[in-house]
Amino acid sequence: MEAKLPQRDFIRIHRSYIISLDKIQSFTNEEITVNRKALPISRSYKKDVLNHLENY
């Protein structure tokens, strides 16, 4: 499923979560808020996620 999503619009933040970049409301080093729900950023994806969000 992940391979079918456009990479420029979606990002994996955790083994259990792939999110739409357009739906992000806020983020910290530990979590991303989407639809008023805090989703964790896993340690294995943290560096790539934060780098991508800072340049988005």
Side-chain angles (χ1 to χ4, degrees):
M1 182 62 130
E2 181 179 5
K4 293 182 179 184
L5 296 172
Q7 287 184 346
R8 70 179 194 281
D9 297 331
F10 292 87
I11 190 167
R12 179 175 289 280
I13 63 166
H14 190 278
R15 188 178 82 193
S16 301
Y17 301 110
I18 299 173
I19 61 170
S20 170
L21 293 170
D22 292 339
K23 300 296 181 183
I24 295 173
Q25 294 170 323
S26 65
F27 69 94
T28 67
N29 288 341
E30 304 296 322
E31 62 189 24
I32 294 177
T33 304
V34 177
N35 292 333
R36 292 181 281 179
K37 302 272 188 204
L39 304 174
I41 301 172
S42 72
R43 284 180 282 153
S44 58
Y45 293 100
K46 183 181 239 180
K47 182 179 176 184
D48 291 334
V49 169
L50 294 176
N51 187 38
H52 187 84
L53 291 175
E54 288 172 359
N55 295 319
Y56 180 66

